[in-house]
């Protein structure tokens, strides 16, 4: 235990998103070091651009700033913020302390949102760049699974009631298609992001127009130069003090949509685990229940559903924030955005990593799937039996009545006695059906009930899924091992 005055990290709340689940890369993306290091780079970009456009800034000042980009005294910054009650000015002073020659030109003409909002946009862009390869890997793993099981018949469900057959691979393609939509949505949201740029306190660029003595072309060029240095192709032409908070709505909406997709996929896996048809990976020494040693709980899928639920709710924050940004801006957005933007990306990162781990170790139980088909397929085959009897010279109405009676008798055995479906045995025992007894095996071949499912899988994977993954081929290697 920590003694008096010593920090005991176990005695303080830590977000499990970081301490328990998230990747190191995404945790760093929303870290203080990334944030404040980006602030200093933005101050450097501004000074470099202002110098190139004729302001009296020296090479020596620029070099001093470059040499101290990551030399951040966080203790001093915290003390300055406690004194000044202003985080940006605290870091201006801290940066100036290690850059005394450049102190006079750091943050020249800028407002707090120059570093704050532009950094947020950089972090959001970088967050998407971390998520997209992970999402592509999940799609790739599931595509391999779908291809492997494209032909394996499985009982379909509508309303969670037995329906026509599908295949294990075709059902997986339903999951993949949703994730491909999410891949497109995340790419579009990332590519739609613009830089806030160099806009001044209320977005009018008045301070920069004054710096450049009324030269509008230089102010526009300053905006363009800094935007390019930050790695953006475009800046928002119109801002208040901040970029429009509707941008955050767009960002969190696509992440919430991803959460809905993953929740649906993992719910399906949980249901299939209950049916004992498909299970997520289960470690050799993993314990499913402290009280019931036989249990194999789908804990990874449950984690995904739990966190996806949180992700889906976070979009309400930017919706409400955008609706109450009075005129050019109010500060009631700040604390909220510190929480919801980071948590959305951290949560999306976690559920994608977990889903990748699941998809890399899905276990299929063909015998269980076959048994469930045998339980339900006889009823689904009644139309085929009727058609075969008619071709053999029977009367459709008479055959229909015979099948109705036999099927209800078989259903009573299943529902009232808990027995197996013996409908086919009853058909075999009835002399009326003797003309087609030899055809029954072929009439009950499960593959004849899956329609074009195998062909749909092949076409979908070839024409839509694999091409969408081409930009991410370099990041496809490596399996995910979950720490917890």
């Amino acid at each position: 235990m920590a003694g008096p005055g010593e920090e005991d990290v176990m005695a303080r709340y830590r977000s499990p998103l970081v301490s328990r689940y998230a990747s190191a890369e995404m945790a760093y993306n929303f870290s203080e070091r990334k944030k404040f290091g980006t602030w200093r780079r933005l101050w450097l970009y501004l000074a470099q651009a202002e110098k190139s456009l004729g302001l009296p800034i020296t090479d020596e000042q620029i070099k001093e700033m470059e040499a101290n980009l990551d030399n951040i005294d966080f203790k001093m910054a915290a003390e300055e913020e406690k004194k000044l009650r202003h985080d940006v000015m605290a870091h201006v002073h801290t940066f100036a302390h290690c850059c005394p020659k450049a102190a006079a030109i750091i943050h020249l003409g800028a407002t707090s949102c120059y570093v704050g909002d532009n950094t947020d946009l950089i972090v959001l862009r970088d967050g998407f760049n971390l998520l997209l390869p992970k999402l592509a890997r999940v799609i790739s793993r599931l595509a391999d699974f779908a291809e492997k099981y494209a032909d394996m018949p499985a009982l379909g469900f509508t309303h969670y009631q037995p329906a026509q057959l599908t295949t294990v691979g075709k059902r997986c393609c339903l999951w993949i298609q949703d994730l491909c939509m999410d891949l497109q949505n995340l790419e579009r949201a990332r590519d739609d992001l613009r830089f806030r740029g160099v806009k001044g306190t209320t977005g009018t660029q008045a301070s920069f127009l004054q710096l450049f003595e009324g030269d509008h072309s230089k102010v526009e060029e300053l905006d363009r130069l800094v935007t390019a240095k930050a790695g953006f192709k475009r800046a928002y032409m119109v801002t208040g003090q901040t970029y429009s908070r509707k941008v955050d709505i767009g960002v969190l909406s696509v992440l919430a949509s991803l959460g809905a997709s993953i929740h649906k996929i993992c719910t399906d896996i949980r249901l299939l685990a209950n049916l004992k048809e498909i299970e997520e990976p289960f470690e050799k020494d993993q314990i499913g229940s402290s009280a019931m040693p036989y249990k194999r709980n789908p804990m990874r899928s449950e984690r995904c559903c739990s966190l996806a639920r949180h992700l889906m709710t976070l979009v309400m924050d930017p919706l409400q924030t955008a609706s109450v940004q009075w005129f050019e801006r109010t500060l009631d957005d700040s604390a909220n955005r510190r929480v919801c933007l980071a948590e959305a990306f951290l949560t999306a990162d976690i559920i994608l990593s977990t889903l990748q781990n699941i998809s890399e170790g899905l276990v299929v139980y063909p015998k269980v799937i076959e048994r469930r088909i045998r339980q339900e397929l006889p009823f689904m085959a009644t139309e085929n039996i009727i058609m075969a009897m008619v071709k053999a010279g029977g009367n459709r109405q008479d055959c229909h009545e015979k099948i109705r009676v036999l099927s209800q008798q078989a259903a009573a055995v299943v529902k009232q006695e808990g027995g197996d479906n013996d409908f086919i045995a009853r058909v075999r025992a009835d002399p009326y059906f003797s003309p087609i007894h030899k055809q029954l095996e072929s009439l009950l071949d499960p593959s004849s009930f899956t329609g074009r499912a195998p062909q749909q899988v092949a076409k979908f994977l070839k024409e839509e899924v694999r091409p969408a993954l081409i930009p991410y081929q370099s990041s496809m290697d490596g399996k995910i091992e979950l720490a917890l």
Side-chain angles (χ1 to χ4, degrees):
M1 297 292 291
E6 297 179 32
E7 183 178 9
D8 178 7
V9 296
M10 303 307 290
R12 301 177 62 185
Y13 173 78
R14 295 181 298 162
S15 169
L17 292 176
V18 175
S19 66
R20 189 175 179 91
Y21 299 129
S23 69
E25 296 82 7
M26 190 61 79
Y28 173 75
N29 190 51
F30 287 92
S31 69
E32 299 289 88
R33 186 167 294 282
K34 167 78 177 274
K35 175 181 177 179
F36 297 127
T38 304
W39 283 14
R40 291 194 173 188
R41 282 162 176 79
L42 287 169
W43 282 320
L44 174 64
Y45 299 156
L46 181 62
Q48 288 172 331
E50 288 175 336
K51 177 180 182 298
S52 71
L53 291 170
L55 291 189
I57 296 172
T58 66
D59 289 337
E60 190 176 21
Q61 289 173 314
I62 296 295
K63 289 178 181 178
E64 188 180 52
M65 293 173 73
E66 290 174 336
N68 287 282
L69 291 176
D70 297 308
N71 178 27
I72 304 175
D73 186 337
F74 287 99
K75 183 178 180 181
M76 178 182 177
E79 291 171 351
E80 287 288 332
E81 184 173 356
K82 186 176 181 180
K83 179 175 64 177
L84 301 174
R85 308 296 293 178
H86 197 289
D87 56 349
V88 173
M89 287 308 300
H91 277 270
V92 168
H93 288 189
T94 303
F95 195 18
H97 180 75
C98 57
C99 298
K101 295 174 183 176
I105 56 93
I106 292 173
H107 198 66
L108 181 60
T111 184
S112 297
C113 285
Y114 166 69
V115 289
D117 270 31
N118 283 324
T119 292
D120 286 345
L121 290 161
I122 290 170
V123 167
L124 295 179
R125 178 196 64 193
D126 293 351
F128 278 128
N129 285 334
L130 290 173
L131 291 180
L132 282 163
K134 292 192 173 191
L135 177 53
R137 282 198 296 272
V138 171
I139 294 171
S140 176
R141 305 304 190 262
L142 290 175
D144 292 341
F145 180 86
E147 190 170 47
K148 180 177 180 180
Y149 294 101
D151 300 325
M152 181 180 284
L155 184 64
F157 289 92
T158 59
H159 314 274
Y160 202 36
Q161 301 299 312
Q164 287 188 350
L165 300 192
T166 183
T167 70
V168 173
K170 171 61 190 301
R171 175 177 283 145
C172 183
C173 284
L174 298 178
W175 305 339
I176 295 170
Q177 181 167 252
D178 286 353
L179 294 176
C180 284
M181 293 180 191
D182 293 315
L183 188 72
Q184 292 176 336
N185 289 340
L186 264 65
E187 288 173 339
R188 182 169 55 249
R190 178 199 60 190
D191 295 343
D192 283 348
L193 285 175
R194 301 189 193 185
F195 202 52
R196 178 190 175 272
V198 182
K199 297 296 196 297
T201 54
T202 57
T204 65
Q205 299 177 304
S207 58
F208 297 104
L209 191 62
Q210 185 175 1
L211 278 175
F212 289 104
E213 298 179 345
D215 190 329
H216 291 268
S217 63
K218 284 191 175 182
V219 175
E220 289 187 1
E221 181 63 7
L222 177 70
D223 204 359
R224 190 195 66 77
L225 285 172
V226 175
T227 297
K229 286 176 181 291
F232 286 82
K233 294 180 180 178
R234 297 182 299 170
Y236 295 107
M237 294 183 68
V238 175
T239 74
Q241 189 170 89
T242 70
Y243 67 79
S244 171
R245 294 312 184 215
K246 283 186 72 68
V247 173
D248 296 342
I249 297 173
V251 168
L252 265 65
S253 290
V254 299
L255 297 182
S257 182
L258 172 65
S261 299
I262 294 179
H263 198 297
K264 183 265 192 292
I265 292 167
C266 291
T267 299
D268 282 357
I269 293 172
R270 292 164 66 188
L271 293 171
L272 289 166
N274 173 262
L275 296 174
K276 297 180 174 61
E277 292 190 7
I278 292 179
E279 286 182 344
E280 65 178 37
F282 198 87
E283 306 299 334
K284 179 175 178 287
D285 297 322
Q286 183 174 330
I287 295 175
S289 167
S290 61
M292 295 167 279
Y294 61 87
K295 292 193 75 179
R296 291 171 64 96
N297 298 333
M299 53 81 70
R300 292 168 172 83
S301 298
E302 290 173 317
R303 177 187 299 175
C304 283
C305 289
S306 182
L307 291 172
R309 194 177 306 136
H310 176 60
L311 178 55
M312 288 186 282
T313 66
L314 288 173
V315 72
M316 289 304 301
D317 278 335
L319 281 168
Q320 295 186 61
T321 294
S323 72
V324 295
Q325 286 301 287
W326 305 342
F327 304 115
E328 281 64 47
R329 89 75 64 98
T330 63
L331 196 58
D332 61 345
D333 63 335
S334 179
N336 185 285
R337 294 175 70 252
R338 288 175 191 266
V339 176
C340 71
L341 295 180
E343 288 202 354
F345 278 87
L346 289 165
T347 306
D349 177 70
I350 296 159
I351 59 178
L352 282 173
S353 294
T354 309
L355 185 55
Q356 181 183 336
N357 176 262
I358 293 169
S359 63
E360 288 172 347
L362 285 173
V363 181
V364 177
Y365 295 104
K367 295 299 182 184
V368 178
I369 294 172
E370 291 171 11
R371 184 177 185 277
R372 184 155 285 109
I373 291 174
R374 287 198 302 271
Q375 286 286 324
E376 301 294 341
L377 188 60
F379 294 146
M380 299 177 194
T382 55
E383 186 66 20
N384 288 13
I385 293 172
I386 291 173
M387 292 300 101
M389 280 296 295
V390 170
K391 288 180 181 179
N395 179 282
R396 186 195 182 282
Q397 277 62 44
D398 293 340
C399 184
H400 185 280
E401 179 60 20
K402 283 276 189 181
I403 288 177
R404 186 187 68 81
V405 173
L406 295 180
S407 63
Q408 290 190 5
Q409 291 171 349
V413 170
V414 173
K415 296 179 180 179
Q416 297 174 20
E417 300 176 19
D420 291 336
N421 188 333
D422 62 0
F423 172 72
I424 295 302
R426 292 175 185 274
V427 171
R428 289 187 190 281
D430 193 324
Y432 175 81
F433 294 99
S434 59
I436 63 164
H437 280 169
K438 292 182 179 180
Q439 300 179 46
L440 286 175
E441 286 300 323
S442 62
L443 292 173
L444 289 167
D445 179 5
S447 64
S448 68
F449 289 83
T450 58
R452 297 192 64 254
Q455 291 75 21
Q456 288 178 341
V457 171
K459 186 178 178 65
F460 174 59
L461 296 181
K462 178 182 179 181
E463 296 186 10
E464 294 197 22
V465 179
R466 303 295 187 193
L469 299 179
I470 290 174
Y472 306 98
Q473 289 303 314
S474 62
S475 59
M476 285 298 171
D477 295 336
K479 288 191 173 184
I480 288 285
E481 298 293 337
L482 295 186
L484 291 171

